[in-house]
Amino acid sequence: MSVTISDVEKDFLDYVKKMEAYNEALALIFWDLRTGAPKKGIEQRSEVIGMLSSDVFQMSTSEEMAQYIEKLSKDHAELSEVTRKTLHECKKGYDRNKKIPAEEYKEYVILQSKSESVWEEAKEAADFEMFRPYLEKLVEKTKQFIQYWGYEGNKYNTLLDMYEPGVTVEVLDQVFGDLREKIVPLVQSISKSEYKPETNFLFTHFSKEKQREFSLEILKQMGYDFNAGRLDETVHPFATGLNPGDVRVTTKYDETDFRTAVFGTIHEGGHALYEQNIALELVGTPLCDGTSMGIHESQSLFYENFVGRHPSFWKKNYDLLKEYASGQFNDVSLEDFYRAINESKPSLIRIEADELTYPLHIMIRYEIEKGLFNDEIKVSDLPIIWNEMYEQYLGVKPENDAQGVLQDVHWSGGSFGYFPSYALGYMYAAQLKNSLIKDVPNYDQLLEEGNLIPIKEWFTENIHQYGKMKQPLEILKDVTGEGLNANYLIDYLYDKYSKVYQLK
Amino acid sequence: MSVTISDVEKDFLDYVKKMEAYNEALALIFWDLRTGAPKKGIEQRSEVIGMLSSDVFQMSTSEEMAQYIEKLSKDHAELSEVTRKTLHECKKGYDRNKKIPAEEYKEYVILQSKSESVWEEAKEAADFEMFRPYLEKLVEKTKQFIQYWGYEGNKYNTLLDMYEPGVTVEVLDQVFGDLREKIVPLVQSISKSEYKPETNFLFTHFSKEKQREFSLEILKQMGYDFNAGRLDETVHPFATGLNPGDVRVTTKYDETDFRTAVFGTIHEGGHALYEQNIALELVGTPLCDGTSMGIHESQSLFYENFVGRHPSFWKKNYDLLKEYASGQFNDVSLEDFYRAINESKPSLIRIEADELTYPLHIMIRYEIEKGLFNDEIKVSDLPIIWNEMYEQYLGVKPENDAQGVLQDVHWSGGSFGYFPSYALGYMYAAQLKNSLIKDVPNYDQLLEEGNLIPIKEWFTENIHQYGKMKQPLEILKDVTGEGLNANYLIDYLYDKYSKVYQLK
């Protein structure tokens, strides 16, 4: 009996399913570690993580995987679409991992883990020099890997491709250029405006339990399915999709700033809606995931900013918020509340930035990374360059490296090419919204009614269901009819902030 | 270079460590499923469970395992004690699994899973006839397995050995005989006593949150380490040791009967103390677990009854309980409270039974199981036999099969030989206490002071630390200097209940 292509296809899908089962177990372990796993069990849990991760890694680079890739690549036309795309993902991972000599990869993993702890200490001490030699090695190693992997056009493209397939330096230079040109003057006009929002009332005591209850109400309104998820507390909030039937949201409570939990939950809820609504036929394959960091972030930022910071959303929900709060908003008009939660001012720390200035933080990191991997910037010059750029883009200057170049964890883990996704997500969101309101013209009214379901359904129809079946720019093209265009975000920001700050 | 025995030993321990890593991941998945995993994710989670379980099963019965057993069994003297005992456990599992033809085992697993759902329906309908054909098949299959596995003396011994190695029908007939002879008349005297406790005040509203806070206080008093554990809510309470640094307790809250949560937490806390205090050198081996069901239950029952239902414990904690309760005990003396929580009366349902009548429920199941596997009882006669025995042992008669022979889940999963562990645990606990008070003569005083640490330390020293390094009867012998002896439990029960019911 000869082995047919469909036998191989079936075996391949079983093989992949097993890898995904390990990944699901790992995802649960990570969720648990970040939501209350007892401290003393962590060391042994790390052994379990090591074991399961190495199972997945071995399976992804095994001789068996090589055989599947070889055999199935020959008969591409006979395969189902799901198999073809799964094969594509597996091949991508196989190539990436196999092209680096095993010994070098091992050294790199050790370097990564050391660098993360050194970075923590360096940040604590606000001393870039402590971290510099590690960052230099990480950049050198990554350059070496780019040589192994190969590149097209710009060397940095290879790194971008890991997080946002299809988005290149050429694309980013264009959109970030457009964005910068328009946002910097807007930020300057705002800082000159005398019509500044009052914000003191935001920082009054709001009990954790009540914040949680309000957050649950909002998740419900968004169409988050509690039979396929739950809300837990954590230190660094995240959402995690174990499978589409189990997508968990976590949040953090600050009893003197309810915005942390409320906007954080809406943001993570946006991520969660994506993963809850991936087509079930993709379960057990690597396609059962968001297609890219940027598209994922488009969902979270859409809900956080285009829903959660929209005046109509608060027309519906401000009274509800007042019910859960203990009096802090009693003398505050809806208008004043709305302006307060949309305050914008230049700041030093990315994760505390408002929606207007946030993209500028990202652009600084983008320019630096691009410079590093094209040998135009040296690691040793980073603190100076960083501080100069903050002055130039945002008009603020860090007092030390902890507030500056050391603020983010990403580089210490070797995650270069990741930052642009955050700003991409934001541009995608604005561009997608422009298409959404063509299909759902009563958008503002729906928010006012608290009926967010048609919005979720539109995203499911156009994005969620596909998982990784479509590439990010493919989705954008199919939905909006064009490539990435920064103007939608620019228009949105001008329109909104001109009103909030009454600019002429 | 020749392979030395220590190379093989090291490889074997690595192999075993990997199996334990899968088991730890599985334990976390089960904990999660029972403490709030979203419903819609369960189907896919079952796939993950299936995959990981089959990894463990395959590793435990692989050719590689066979080789380890063969090679290492030859050089027994050169191995460390931990390796020798680990090998013993692995060989036991290997033999058990390999002796059953794969096809038959597969049929059995399907039968098990069908039987459990049929049992649920049958219990719902209170109709034994629905369940009978499945139970008959389960018994038949198990008899067949006993043939494969072999037996010494009584066929039922092979089943007992799975849960309580070394405890045989001969031992159980002796101790259960002693117990029954003394308990039945004691139960009868109590039922004739006119000095019955008042219990109404137990059933007043007691908020869940406050019950939780009180339960946490008690766990702390017991010496439960919250850096190595946590308390969660569930439907069927359990404790689970993922590793000694992560041993989780779960409980259930009944707002009109605080005893469910409080005694339940103390019970599961006793299990948890065992697993938190196993020697760390056993981590990563199958020895890092309680040595048997019975010894495990001795720890939970010790804390539940010999601590939690002891008058000195409540001298310390009654005022604390009153602080958390909302007035229900204000007019109740400590003496009346103590008598209420030690009320004893014959009942139909095992899991609701008090400590005096509980062993009688177990003995009935023991006699039935022994009869089934020695062809002295037919499955079809079970309802009649069950009801007759309940009248004979406890003086009560079920009105239907749901209250009778269908009440427990165990048989539907093929767990025959399990029940005796519950009563064994109780006898062990009484016998161990007799030794404990020789070393810790101020036992009552410690309870009164809320200083339970010396008690935990005594158990760690004598039991916990060993994990599976010692067999149950070996522990009993080392600690108490004798074999299993029912008299300690009998004396305790007579002494206690004569006082509670003022018997002459």
Side-chain angles (χ1 to χ4, degrees):
Chain A
M1 214 169 73
S2 74
V3 177
T4 67
I5 191 69
S6 79
D7 289 338
V8 180
E9 182 174 3
K10 197 186 157 300
D11 289 350
F12 169 64
L13 291 176
D14 282 346
Y15 187 83
V16 164
K17 198 169 166 187
K18 193 169 160 76
M19 289 169 67
E20 290 304 314
Y22 289 132
N23 279 330
E24 182 162 335
L26 281 165
L28 180 66
I29 292 173
F30 287 121
W31 170 82
D32 182 65
L33 280 176
R34 297 174 68 178
T35 55
K39 277 197 299 193
K40 290 187 181 172
I42 292 176
E43 198 183 321
Q44 174 57 18
R45 192 67 33 79
S46 306
E47 292 267 342
V48 178
I49 291 170
M51 211 79 87
L52 293 171
S53 308
S54 114
D55 280 339
V56 175
F57 185 81
Q58 280 172 22
M59 287 183 80
S60 73
T61 56
S62 67
E63 183 49 36
E64 205 173 342
M65 178 59 93
Q67 295 279 330
Y68 285 128
I69 293 171
E70 200 203 322
K71 284 184 200 160
L72 295 174
S73 297
K74 280 185 212 148
D75 298 276
H76 226 252
E78 290 183 36
L79 304 175
S80 78
E81 208 190 335
V82 170
T83 305
R84 253 185 292 134
K85 307 249 170 179
T86 298
L87 191 67
H88 173 81
E89 290 298 321
C90 290
K91 185 168 182 323
K92 202 169 161 181
Y94 181 88
D95 288 343
R96 170 155 297 137
N97 291 323
K98 277 298 213 186
K99 282 182 178 165
I100 299 172
E103 199 50 41
E104 275 190 60
Y105 187 72
K106 209 174 141 188
E107 278 168 30
Y108 175 73
V109 172
I110 294 165
L111 173 65
Q112 255 182 333
S113 116
K114 270 195 199 159
S115 302
E116 282 185 27
S117 60
V118 172
W119 166 77
E120 262 184 53
E121 289 167 39
K123 185 177 175 182
E124 187 71 37
D127 180 4
F128 180 73
E129 274 306 300
M130 281 173 69
F131 181 50
R132 185 187 46 77
Y134 291 87
L135 186 54
E136 281 171 346
K137 275 183 226 153
L138 284 164
V139 170
E140 274 323 299
K141 278 271 168 219
T142 306
K143 284 181 181 171
Q144 183 60 55
F145 291 177
I146 295 174
Q147 294 301 326
Y148 292 137
W149 290 325
Y151 60 92
E152 281 175 41
N154 195 298
K155 288 178 188 168
Y156 186 53
N157 284 344
T158 297
L159 302 177
L160 290 173
D161 187 64
M162 291 173 68
Y163 304 101
E164 208 60 23
V167 172
T168 60
V169 164
E170 198 184 353
V171 174
L172 288 180
D173 280 347
Q174 174 70 45
V175 293
F176 283 167
D178 293 347
L179 213 51
R180 191 187 154 199
E181 192 190 323
K182 297 292 170 59
I183 290 184
V184 172
L186 181 57
V187 170
Q188 285 164 353
S189 313
I190 284 175
S191 69
K192 282 181 224 139
S193 162
E194 299 196 344
Y195 188 65
K196 296 237 168 16
E198 171 61 53
T199 58
N200 284 343
F201 57 83
L202 297 176
F203 309 108
T204 306
H205 186 270
F206 192 151
S207 100
K208 185 168 137 172
E209 195 41 55
K210 292 294 173 187
Q211 287 188 43
R212 179 177 152 82
E213 286 171 24
F214 179 75
S215 301
L216 290 170
E217 288 290 337
I218 300 302
L219 280 176
K220 218 161 90 187
Q221 225 174 88
M222 287 167 68
Y224 177 78
D225 181 353
F226 282 95
N227 285 320
R230 47 186 283 171
L231 175 65
D232 294 271
E233 189 176 353
T234 192
V235 179
H236 300 290
F238 63 100
T240 180
L242 309 171
N243 66 57
D246 187 350
V247 183
R248 304 179 184 198
V249 174
T250 66
T251 198
K252 182 177 151 182
Y253 300 97
D254 178 345
E255 293 203 318
T256 55
D257 189 350
F258 76 97
R259 296 175 305 172
T260 305
V262 169
F263 292 107
T265 304
I266 297 175
H267 181 96
E268 301 306 335
H271 281 304
L273 290 183
Y274 193 173
E275 307 241 351
Q276 281 189 337
N277 293 294
I278 296 174
L280 292 178
E281 61 162 339
L282 303 182
V283 170
T285 78
L287 308 173
C288 193
D289 198 356
T291 188
S292 71
M293 281 299 310
I295 296 290
H296 230 308
E297 204 66 15
S298 79
Q299 298 306 293
S300 51
L301 288 172
F302 183 90
Y303 279 95
E304 182 184 344
N305 294 329
F306 296 81
V307 175
R309 288 197 171 85
H310 192 289
S312 300
F313 176 80
W314 288 107
K315 268 194 199 156
K316 166 71 187 174
N317 291 305
Y318 190 43
D319 284 345
L320 190 69
L321 183 74
K322 284 181 178 170
E323 279 175 33
Y324 288 99
S326 51
Q328 75 192 85
F329 307 117
N330 285 1
D331 302 326
V332 180
S333 71
L334 173 58
E335 171 67 15
D336 287 344
F337 173 80
Y338 169 72
R339 294 189 64 230
I341 60 166
N342 283 294
E343 186 194 32
S344 172
K345 64 179 177 204
S347 64
L348 292 167
I349 307 297
R350 177 183 62 87
I351 58 166
E352 294 167 7
D354 56 79
E355 62 170 349
L356 174 60
T357 57
Y358 190 85
L360 298 172
H361 292 261
I362 298 304
M363 285 179 231
I364 293 169
R365 288 153 180 78
Y366 166 69
E367 294 296 336
I368 288 176
E369 290 189 344
K370 192 175 60 168
L372 282 173
F373 290 97
N374 286 287
D375 300 310
E376 291 154 4
I377 291 179
K378 281 194 301 186
V379 168
S380 54
D381 294 334
L382 281 190
I384 293 170
I385 294 174
W386 182 283
N387 293 357
E388 280 173 2
M389 291 185 84
Y390 262 79
E391 253 195 299
Q392 195 185 339
Y393 281 66
L394 285 148
V396 294
K397 194 172 176 177
E399 284 179 19
N400 59 51
D401 296 338
Q403 294 177 351
V405 67
L406 286 175
Q407 70 181 263
D408 293 309
V409 67
H410 304 59
W411 291 343
S412 77
S415 299
F416 304 106
Y418 187 117
F419 280 121
S421 314
Y422 293 122
L424 281 168
Y426 203 7
M427 285 183 275
Y428 288 150
Q431 191 167 340
L432 290 167
K433 182 170 175 206
N434 187 64
S435 297
L436 163 65
I437 53 175
K438 287 177 193 157
D439 296 332
V440 185
N442 58 340
Y443 182 85
D444 293 7
Q445 193 195 326
L446 289 173
L447 261 56
E448 229 169 285
E449 290 167 0
N451 179 13
L452 306 180
I453 303 304
I455 298 166
K456 184 199 76 173
E457 284 171 351
W458 188 87
F459 277 118
T460 295
E461 167 87 19
N462 289 286
I463 299 178
H464 301 163
Q465 61 163 326
Y466 296 111
K468 277 185 190 293
M469 288 287 281
K470 288 186 176 187
Q471 300 284 302
L473 294 182
E474 194 182 346
I475 285 179
L476 200 67
K477 182 85 187 189
D478 288 353
V479 179
T480 71
E482 59 178 324
L484 187 59
N485 184 340
N487 289 324
Y488 297 102
L489 180 59
I490 292 166
D491 290 347
Y492 160 75
L493 291 171
Y494 263 84
D495 185 51
K496 176 165 180 177
Y497 285 93
S498 299
K499 283 179 194 149
V500 172
Y501 283 88
Q502 301 203 333
L503 306 177
K504 282 121 244 174
Chain B
M1 213 171 70
S2 76
V3 177
T4 67
I5 189 70
S6 79
D7 290 337
V8 180
E9 181 174 3
K10 198 188 155 298
D11 289 349
F12 170 64
L13 291 176
D14 281 346
Y15 188 83
V16 164
K17 198 169 164 187
K18 195 170 159 75
M19 289 169 66
E20 290 305 313
Y22 290 132
N23 279 327
E24 182 163 334
L26 281 165
L28 180 67
I29 292 173
F30 287 121
W31 170 82
D32 181 66
L33 280 176
R34 295 173 69 178
T35 55
K39 276 196 301 194
K40 290 187 181 171
I42 292 177
E43 196 182 322
Q44 173 57 17
R45 191 67 32 81
S46 306
E47 292 267 344
V48 178
I49 292 172
M51 211 78 88
L52 292 171
S53 308
S54 114
D55 279 341
V56 175
F57 185 81
Q58 279 172 22
M59 287 183 80
S60 74
T61 55
S62 67
E63 183 48 34
E64 205 174 342
M65 178 60 93
Q67 294 280 332
Y68 285 128
I69 293 171
E70 200 202 322
K71 284 184 201 160
L72 294 174
S73 296
K74 279 186 210 149
D75 299 276
H76 226 252
E78 289 182 37
L79 304 175
S80 77
E81 209 190 335
V82 169
T83 306
R84 254 185 290 135
K85 306 248 168 177
T86 298
L87 192 68
H88 173 82
E89 290 298 321
C90 290
K91 187 172 182 319
K92 203 169 159 179
Y94 181 88
D95 288 343
R96 169 155 299 136
N97 291 323
K98 276 299 214 186
K99 281 180 178 167
I100 299 172
E103 199 49 43
E104 275 189 57
Y105 186 72
K106 208 173 141 187
E107 280 169 27
Y108 174 74
V109 171
I110 294 165
L111 174 64
Q112 256 182 332
S113 116
K114 271 196 198 158
S115 302
E116 283 185 27
S117 60
V118 172
W119 165 77
E120 260 184 54
E121 289 168 36
K123 186 177 173 180
E124 188 71 36
D127 180 5
F128 181 74
E129 273 306 302
M130 281 173 69
F131 182 50
R132 185 188 48 75
Y134 291 87
L135 186 54
E136 280 170 346
K137 275 183 226 153
L138 283 164
V139 170
E140 274 323 300
K141 276 273 168 217
T142 306
K143 282 181 182 171
Q144 183 60 53
F145 290 176
I146 295 173
Q147 293 301 326
Y148 292 136
W149 290 326
Y151 61 92
E152 280 176 42
N154 195 298
K155 289 177 189 170
Y156 186 53
N157 285 343
T158 297
L159 301 178
L160 290 172
D161 187 63
M162 291 173 66
Y163 303 101
E164 208 61 22
V167 171
T168 60
V169 164
E170 197 183 353
V171 173
L172 288 179
D173 280 347
Q174 173 69 42
V175 293
F176 283 166
D178 293 347
L179 213 52
R180 187 185 159 199
E181 191 188 322
K182 296 293 169 56
I183 291 183
V184 172
L186 180 57
V187 170
Q188 285 164 352
S189 313
I190 284 175
S191 70
K192 282 181 221 137
S193 161
E194 299 197 340
Y195 186 65
K196 295 233 167 20
E198 170 59 55
T199 58
N200 284 343
F201 57 83
L202 297 177
F203 310 107
T204 306
H205 186 269
F206 192 150
S207 99
K208 185 166 134 173
E209 196 41 54
K210 292 293 175 189
Q211 288 187 44
R212 178 177 153 84
E213 287 172 24
F214 179 74
S215 300
L216 289 171
E217 287 290 336
I218 300 302
L219 280 176
K220 218 161 91 185
Q221 223 174 90
M222 287 167 69
Y224 176 78
D225 181 353
F226 281 96
N227 285 320
R230 48 186 282 171
L231 175 64
D232 294 271
E233 190 176 354
T234 192
V235 179
H236 299 289
F238 63 100
T240 180
L242 308 172
N243 66 58
D246 188 351
V247 183
R248 305 181 182 196
V249 174
T250 65
T251 198
K252 181 178 152 181
Y253 301 96
D254 179 343
E255 293 204 317
T256 55
D257 189 350
F258 75 98
R259 298 175 305 172
T260 305
V262 169
F263 292 108
T265 305
I266 298 175
H267 181 97
E268 301 305 335
H271 281 305
L273 289 184
Y274 193 172
E275 307 240 353
Q276 282 190 336
N277 293 293
I278 296 175
L280 292 178
E281 60 162 340
L282 303 182
V283 170
T285 77
L287 308 173
C288 194
D289 197 356
T291 188
S292 70
M293 281 300 309
I295 297 290
H296 230 309
E297 203 67 15
S298 80
Q299 299 306 294
S300 52
L301 289 171
F302 182 90
Y303 278 94
E304 182 183 347
N305 294 329
F306 295 82
V307 174
R309 287 196 171 86
H310 192 289
S312 300
F313 176 82
W314 287 106
K315 269 192 198 158
K316 165 73 187 172
N317 290 306
Y318 191 43
D319 283 344
L320 191 69
L321 183 74
K322 283 180 178 171
E323 279 174 34
Y324 289 99
S326 52
Q328 75 192 85
F329 307 117
N330 286 359
D331 302 326
V332 180
S333 71
L334 173 60
E335 171 67 17
D336 287 345
F337 173 80
Y338 170 72
R339 293 187 66 230
I341 60 165
N342 283 293
E343 184 193 33
S344 171
K345 64 178 180 209
S347 63
L348 292 167
I349 307 297
R350 177 183 62 86
I351 58 164
E352 293 165 7
D354 56 78
E355 60 170 349
L356 174 60
T357 56
Y358 189 85
L360 298 171
H361 291 261
I362 297 304
M363 285 179 232
I364 291 168
R365 286 153 180 80
Y366 167 69
E367 294 297 337
I368 288 175
E369 290 189 344
K370 193 175 63 170
L372 282 172
F373 291 97
N374 285 287
D375 301 310
E376 289 154 5
I377 291 179
K378 282 193 301 187
V379 168
S380 54
D381 294 334
L382 280 190
I384 292 169
I385 293 174
W386 182 283
N387 293 357
E388 280 173 0
M389 289 184 87
Y390 262 79
E391 250 193 305
Q392 196 184 336
Y393 280 65
L394 285 149
V396 292
K397 196 171 174 177
E399 282 180 19
N400 59 50
D401 296 337
Q403 295 176 351
V405 67
L406 287 175
Q407 69 181 264
D408 294 309
V409 67
H410 303 59
W411 291 343
S412 75
S415 299
F416 304 107
Y418 188 118
F419 280 121
S421 315
Y422 293 121
L424 281 168
Y426 205 6
M427 284 185 276
Y428 288 148
Q431 192 167 339
L432 290 167
K433 182 173 175 203
N434 188 63
S435 297
L436 164 65
I437 54 174
K438 285 177 194 157
D439 296 331
V440 186
N442 59 338
Y443 182 85
D444 292 8
Q445 195 195 323
L446 289 172
L447 261 57
E448 230 168 283
E449 291 166 0
N451 178 12
L452 306 180
I453 304 302
I455 297 166
K456 183 199 76 173
E457 284 172 351
W458 188 87
F459 277 119
T460 295
E461 167 88 21
N462 288 286
I463 299 177
H464 301 163
Q465 61 164 324
Y466 296 111
K468 276 186 190 292
M469 288 287 281
K470 288 185 176 189
Q471 298 284 303
L473 293 182
E474 196 182 344
I475 285 178
L476 200 67
K477 182 84 186 190
D478 287 352
V479 180
T480 71
E482 60 178 324
L484 187 60
N485 183 339
N487 289 323
Y488 298 103
L489 180 59
I490 293 166
D491 290 348
Y492 160 75
L493 293 171
Y494 263 84
D495 185 51
K496 175 167 181 175
Y497 285 92
S498 299
K499 284 179 194 150
V500 173
Y501 282 89
Q502 301 202 335
L503 306 177
K504 281 118 245 174

